[in-house]
């Protein structure tokens, strides 16, 4: 439910690319632009006795003729500016070449079938394959989303195979929207059943063991014309029986006491129980209920009634349930309880807390696989159900492992592993021997991992906190202050930034640049305390951490203010807006993607009310003051020389309402109409980022990189 915007909006440029223009051929970074006129209204809100003007309130009606005309004029201006950068077209061409490499998801086992995703390189959407053996070549195409739209904007968002593998439920979204439509495909025939389920968002599905139907979440249908704006309230868990109308679905669980609860349901591997978890807003803490499906007519039994800690269900063996929790363990532990005797005093710790953060865990082949973060990179350990250490999964270097899904009866599981300089490979883990073997490994043309280096450093933030940061560069890069450097961050919602391969990073390195990613407070890298140190009235710590990261890179002469660009998306877009306002002198360019820019109004749109768990509420006087102090929209100051800024959003972003970016861009342009470029780029038939087609990603990253390099006074490849 959180705002996570993937760092993997990826870029890649050919290793042998030559500079295609001189720096002075491009429009200068301080070129004066004539911005479209944006009417300033007289609307004023009052919070706790404080009057806050909102002159661009009219832009919240994103379909109004005035708003549409202004957005179209902004798009024309941005397009003309970006297209005038001579390198921009060549960058896009090379992106297309570099992107063309195979990638896979780890296979998952259901009944007699194995399912996995595959992209041949330039496909807009990955294809789902099915096979009776992962070693079988070729496997059979089960679902190809690329056939569902000409422009690749119909995306596969969620999947759920039945226990025996006969049926495959899948959820599609269109044009970047978070709204999903569920369909069911017969795996043997490849044909869809008539069932069609609408108005689902941000939730998966889980089948009953008898294949009679599945559990899924949905909202009530929004009013006509309000689907991309209206607040999403009272999420509900339903059971859909195959062959029946959606209107006949059975409501299983919802919270009627508060509209902002998110709910989910999962059937256990043995099919006996339904586990229901509920979170208030985007709080990571949750309640937990268990329904015994083997006893018809029984109601869910509350196990955790108050969301005071994280209780994430891992799996069960009989009536013994295993749960990942930060209760009494800020960096998480695994506990077990007996459903027949659930009293808290009978619970036991199976895997105790360690210094590394237990980020997630799975139960496969009657063993627990714990995925840890050790200073924000992966460490994987295997335990018996009693907690005995069975061994570690060997991982090479500073990277990220993911996967390890499966069932109690499986003998193997698959996982992916990558790093900033190592493309994502898929491995098979033999659960009897503990040995891993390579299943699939991609080849990225023009990129040689040995030519690049990754290192983790630690720097000191404003209040003395020690913060980790990854720095990636070409071997032999000299810290002489001249390197074009991109600093990326997020810092929120307990989401950890982990080192993983991206053609974006690879392309930046090939241009001679340095890539840095800071592990800011507000994330989950060091558990609950690290997250809470970046929440609500402590949110300024996140910006201080990011500013200190920039100062470290400059102080260590990795770069200089004339060669440092910052980028972030969603909550990270907020980070960019707030940071460039607080220290505009530190940066050569700022790219804020789909950002939350009006911190006094975010709760009024789509799922925004749930973000109060991380940001706080304007109804609370102390939290209001904190929000007002850093909110990008309210802190734009006239007469300040802001760095060249590219603000991106999309017309179908129904997670972070596009008016955030509209209002911020208008305010920035009004404050500094004759300064450095402030551009608004609005992507059509796109949303918050999930499911964005490859072609659109290539075009967007070409825009971002051309803008950054131009702001630095560099041509593509000129620094190598």
């Amino acid at each position: 439910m959180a705002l996570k915007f993937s760092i993997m909006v990826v870029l890649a440029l050919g290793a042998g690319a030559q500079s295609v223009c001189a720096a002075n051929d491009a429009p200068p970074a301080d070129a004066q632009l004539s911005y479209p006129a944006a009417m300033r209204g007289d609307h004023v809100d009052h919070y706790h006795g404080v009057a806050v003007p909102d002159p661009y309130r009219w832009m919240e009606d994103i379909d109004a003729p005035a708003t549409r005309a202004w957005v179209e004029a902004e798009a024309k201006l941005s397009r003309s500016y970006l297209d005038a950068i001579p390198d921009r077209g060549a960058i896009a061409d090379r992106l297309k070449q570099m992107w063309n490499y195979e990638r896979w998801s780890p296979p998952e086992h259901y009944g007699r079938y194995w399912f996995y995703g595959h992209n041949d390189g330039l496909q807009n959407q990955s294809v789902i394959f099915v096979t009776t053996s992962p070693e079988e070549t070729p496997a059979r195409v089960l679902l190809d989303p690329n056939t569902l739209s000409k422009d690749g904007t119909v995306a596969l968002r969620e999947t759920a195979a039945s226990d025996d593998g006969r049926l495959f439920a899948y959820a599609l979204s269109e044009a970047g929207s978070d709204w999903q439509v569920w369909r069911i495909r017969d795996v043997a025939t490849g044909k869809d059943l008539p069932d069609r389920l609408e108005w689902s968002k941000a939730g998966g599905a889980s089948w009953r063991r008898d294949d009679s139907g599945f559990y899924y979440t949905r909202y009530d249908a929004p009013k006509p014309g309000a689907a991309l704006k209206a607040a999403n309230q009272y999420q509900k868990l339903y059971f859909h029986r195959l062959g029946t109308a959606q209107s006949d679905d059975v409501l299983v669980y919802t919270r009627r006491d508060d509209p902002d609860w998110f709910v989910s349901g999962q059937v256990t591997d043995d099919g006996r129980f339904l586990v229901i978890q509920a979170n208030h807003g985007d709080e990571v803490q949750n309640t937990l209920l268990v329904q015994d499906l083997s006893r018809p007519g029984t109601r869910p039994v509350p196990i955790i009634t108050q969301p005071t800690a994280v209780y994430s269900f891992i799996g069960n063996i009989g009536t013994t349930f295993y749960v990942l929790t930060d209760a009494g363990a800020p960096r998480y532990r695994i506990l077990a309880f007996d459903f027949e005797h659930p009293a808290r005093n009978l619970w036991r710790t199976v895997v105790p807390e360690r210094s590394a953060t237990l980020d997630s865990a799975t139960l496969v082949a009657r063993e627990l696989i714990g995925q840890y973060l050790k200073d924000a990179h992966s460490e994987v350990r295997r335990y018996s159900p009693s907690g005995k250490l069975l061994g570690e999964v060997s991982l090479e270097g500073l990277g990220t492992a993911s996967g390890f899904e499966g069932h109690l009866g499986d003998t193997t599981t698959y996982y992916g592993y990558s790093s900033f300089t190592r493309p994502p490979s898929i491995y098979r883990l033999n659960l009897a021997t503990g040995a891993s073997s390579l299943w699939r490994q991609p080849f990225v043309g023009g990129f040689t991992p040995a030519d690049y280096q990754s290192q983790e450093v630690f720097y000191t933030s404003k209040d003395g906190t020690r913060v980790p940061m990854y720095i990636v560069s070409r071997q032999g890069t000299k810290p002489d202050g001249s390197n074009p450097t991109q600093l990326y961050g997020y810092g929120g919602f307990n989401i950890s930034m982990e080192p993983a391969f991206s053609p974006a990073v690879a392309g930046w390195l090939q241009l001679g640049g340095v890539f840095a990613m800071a592990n800011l407070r507000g994330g989950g890298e060091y558990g609950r305390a690290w997250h809470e140190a970046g929440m609500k009235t402590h949110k300024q710590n996140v910006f201080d951490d990011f500013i200190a990261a920039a100062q470290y890179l400059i102080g260590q002469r990795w770069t200089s203010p004339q060669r440092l660009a910052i980028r972030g998306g969603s909550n990270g877009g907020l980070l960019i807006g707030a940071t460039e306002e607080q220290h505009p002198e530190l940066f050569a360019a700022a790219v804020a993607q789909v950002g939350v820019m009006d911190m006094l109004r975010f709760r009024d749109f789509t799922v925004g009310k749930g973000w109060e768990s991380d940001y706080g509420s304007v109804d609370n006087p102390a939290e209001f003051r904190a929000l007002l102090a850093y909110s990008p929209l309210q802190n734009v100051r006239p007469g300040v020389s802001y760095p060249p800024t590219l603000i991106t959003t999309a017309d179908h972003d129904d997670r972070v309402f596009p008016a955030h970016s509209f209002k911020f861009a208008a305010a920035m342009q009004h404050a500094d109409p004759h300064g450095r470029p402030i551009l608004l780029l609005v992507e059509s038939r796109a949303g918050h980022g999930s499911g964005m087609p490859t072609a659109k990603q290539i075009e967007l990253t070409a825009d971002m990189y051309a803008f950054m390099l131009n702001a630095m006074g560099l041509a593509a490849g000129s620094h190598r």
Side-chain angles (χ1 to χ4, degrees):
M1 301 292 179
L3 293 91
K4 185 174 183 181
F5 179 87
S6 175
I7 188 175
M8 300 306 177
V9 175
V10 292
L11 170 73
L13 301 177
Q18 300 297 313
S19 174
V20 295
C21 71
N24 59 9
D25 289 336
D30 59 353
Q32 292 187 7
L33 300 175
S34 179
Y35 298 119
M39 178 187 67
R40 288 177 62 83
D42 57 4
H43 187 95
V44 177
D45 289 314
H46 296 271
Y47 304 91
H48 309 287
V50 178
V52 181
D54 190 1
Y56 302 112
R57 177 65 63 87
W58 58 274
M59 290 185 177
E60 292 179 1
D61 187 354
I62 61 175
D63 293 319
T67 308
R68 293 179 67 89
W70 180 81
V71 169
E72 289 170 2
E74 288 283 342
K76 183 177 179 180
L77 175 67
S78 298
R79 192 72 271 147
S80 63
Y81 183 94
L82 294 167
D83 288 345
I85 301 174
D87 279 356
R88 196 262 172 219
I91 288 173
D93 289 341
R94 294 184 216 147
L95 278 170
K96 187 175 180 180
Q97 297 170 12
M98 185 65 177
W99 207 294
N100 192 12
Y101 74 97
E102 287 188 280
R103 41 203 178 269
W104 299 263
S105 67
E108 295 186 23
H109 183 216
Y110 294 89
R112 61 187 293 262
Y113 293 114
W114 291 82
F115 302 84
Y116 63 87
H118 173 261
N119 192 303
D120 66 13
L122 293 178
Q123 290 173 296
N124 277 319
Q125 304 291 341
S126 291
V127 178
I128 299 298
F129 284 81
V130 61
T131 178
T132 55
S133 169
E135 308 310 317
E136 178 183 319
T137 304
R140 173 166 58 94
V141 173
L142 177 65
L143 177 63
D144 184 356
N146 299 290
T147 64
L148 303 179
S149 61
K150 292 182 179 180
D151 60 0
T153 57
V154 172
L156 180 65
R157 298 293 288 271
E158 302 279 354
T159 65
S162 61
D163 285 341
D164 58 11
R166 292 191 312 107
L167 298 170
F168 186 81
Y170 63 95
L172 300 174
S173 67
E174 185 173 358
S177 171
D178 279 345
W179 288 116
Q180 301 171 164
V181 176
W182 283 96
R183 302 300 304 268
I184 300 99
R185 180 153 295 190
D186 183 291
V187 173
T189 66
K191 296 182 179 180
D192 283 344
L193 305 182
D195 307 64
R196 177 186 172 91
L197 311 178
E198 297 182 320
W199 304 118
S200 180
K201 180 181 282 195
S206 188
W207 286 85
R208 291 204 47 162
R209 195 172 182 84
D210 60 7
D211 288 359
S212 61
F214 57 85
Y215 298 89
Y216 75 106
T217 57
R218 78 165 196 247
Y219 290 95
D220 293 336
K223 294 180 180 179
L228 300 181
K229 178 179 179 177
N232 302 142
Q233 298 180 324
Y234 295 106
Q235 189 179 38
K236 300 173 176 65
L237 177 66
Y238 279 92
F239 176 72
H240 172 71
R241 186 171 297 278
L242 293 186
T244 64
Q246 185 175 18
S247 58
D248 294 330
D249 289 351
V250 177
L251 177 62
V252 177
Y253 185 77
T254 190
R255 292 286 301 239
R256 302 184 188 278
D257 57 323
D258 189 303
D260 302 314
W261 282 83
F262 297 126
V263 300
S264 64
Q266 178 183 348
V267 179
T268 57
D269 191 55
D270 59 10
R272 178 178 170 183
F273 300 101
L274 173 67
V275 179
I276 300 170
Q277 296 181 183
N279 306 68
H280 186 258
D282 271 348
E283 290 180 352
V284 294
Q285 297 83 12
N286 63 281
T287 64
L288 190 147
L289 304 89
V290 178
Q291 182 178 12
D292 189 346
L293 300 178
S294 69
R295 301 173 182 174
T298 59
R299 300 179 62 83
V301 176
I303 304 297
I304 302 296
T305 58
Q306 297 297 324
T308 58
V310 172
Y311 295 95
S312 180
F313 173 68
I314 300 170
N316 70 301
I317 300 176
T319 60
T320 300
F321 282 66
Y322 296 90
V323 174
L324 177 72
T325 184
D326 63 351
R331 296 196 184 181
Y332 298 89
R333 62 187 169 115
I334 297 176
L335 60 79
F337 68 86
D338 188 334
F339 174 72
E340 302 289 357
H341 307 283
R344 292 292 293 269
N345 63 328
L346 299 177
W347 293 19
R348 56 188 173 88
T349 296
V350 175
V351 177
E353 180 184 28
R354 301 175 58 235
S355 58
T357 303
L358 182 53
D359 188 55
S360 63
T362 56
L363 179 61
V364 187
R366 304 181 75 86
E367 66 178 60
L368 295 159
I369 302 177
Q371 300 177 54
Y372 289 88
L373 290 179
K374 184 178 182 180
D375 290 327
H377 59 269
S378 285
E379 180 181 278
V380 180
R381 290 188 161 203
R382 299 165 50 234
Y383 297 93
S384 72
S386 64
K388 177 184 177 182
L389 180 64
L390 301 176
E392 296 190 19
V393 177
S394 179
L395 304 174
E396 181 180 345
L398 303 173
T400 299
S402 61
F404 303 101
E405 300 292 341
H407 309 276
L408 292 178
D410 289 345
T411 57
T412 59
T413 185
Y414 289 77
Y415 65 95
Y417 182 74
S418 74
S419 69
F420 286 122
T421 59
R422 178 174 178 165
S425 298
I426 308 298
Y427 293 87
R428 179 194 309 102
L429 176 62
N430 185 316
L431 294 165
T433 66
S436 292
S437 56
L438 183 66
W439 181 67
R440 294 287 188 272
Q441 184 174 34
F443 171 74
V444 182
F447 183 81
T448 304
D451 291 345
Y452 305 94
Q453 62 184 2
S454 297
Q455 60 179 299
E456 186 176 29
V457 301
F458 295 86
Y459 64 91
T460 303
S461 190
K462 182 178 180 179
D463 63 356
T465 298
R466 184 173 180 259
V467 182
M469 176 167 60
Y470 288 100
I471 301 176
V472 195
S473 64
R474 184 182 288 275
Q475 295 280 6
T477 297
K478 296 179 180 180
D480 58 7
S482 69
N483 299 302
T485 299
Q486 180 185 168
L487 173 60
Y488 183 91
Y490 186 79
F493 294 91
N494 201 43
I495 293 170
S496 301
M497 295 287 100
E498 303 173 45
F501 184 81
S502 163
V505 176
W508 189 253
L509 299 176
Q510 290 176 338
L511 289 170
V514 172
F515 178 82
M517 185 176 76
N519 296 103
L520 314 172
R521 280 176 284 184
E525 289 87 346
Y526 292 108
R528 185 170 187 169
W530 193 255
H531 175 208
E532 292 180 347
M535 289 170 52
K536 297 184 177 180
T537 57
H538 303 297
K539 186 68 175 180
Q540 182 60 40
N541 287 335
V542 181
F543 312 133
D544 290 342
D545 289 356
F546 199 60
I547 292 163
Q551 293 169 334
Y552 176 92
L553 292 168
I554 295 167
Q556 296 296 311
R557 294 187 57 75
W558 281 105
T559 192
S560 67
Q562 294 75 37
R563 294 287 175 90
L564 178 59
I566 53 174
R567 181 173 70 88
S570 196
N571 173 71
L574 158 64
L575 171 71
I576 301 306
T579 302
E580 71 166 323
E581 289 177 340
Q582 294 181 17
H583 280 275
E585 77 284 357
L586 289 178
F587 313 116
V591 178
Q593 298 175 256
V594 292
V596 188
M597 300 304 195
D598 185 349
M599 300 308 297
L600 307 186
R601 297 276 295 161
F602 67 82
R603 70 177 185 176
D604 293 304
F605 309 109
T606 65
V607 294
K609 187 68 164 61
W611 308 337
E612 288 183 332
S613 62
D614 231 68
Y615 293 147
S617 171
V618 293
D619 294 336
N620 180 299
E623 292 171 357
F624 160 72
R625 288 192 294 271
L627 290 164
L628 182 62
Y630 69 76
S631 177
L633 178 63
Q634 284 78 23
N635 284 280
V636 177
R637 293 169 291 160
V640 174
S641 181
Y642 292 113
T645 302
L646 179 62
I647 303 161
T648 76
T649 186
D651 61 356
H652 280 67
D653 190 345
D654 50 5
R655 193 177 314 177
V656 177
F657 192 50
H660 281 278
S661 294
F662 297 173
K663 294 164 71 174
F664 180 62
M668 290 278 281
Q669 292 172 355
H670 174 78
D672 196 14
H674 305 301
R676 296 165 177 171
I678 308 293
L679 300 182
L680 174 66
L681 193 62
V682 182
E683 186 66 50
S684 62
R685 287 189 59 78
H688 197 62
S690 298
M692 181 181 287
T694 296
K696 284 184 178 290
Q697 292 189 48
I698 291 172
E699 293 301 314
L700 175 60
T701 46
D703 286 335
M704 293 190 300
Y705 277 62
F707 183 84
M708 288 180 183
L709 290 170
N710 183 59
M712 296 175 188
L714 296 173
S718 64
H719 182 71
R720 288 201 316 275

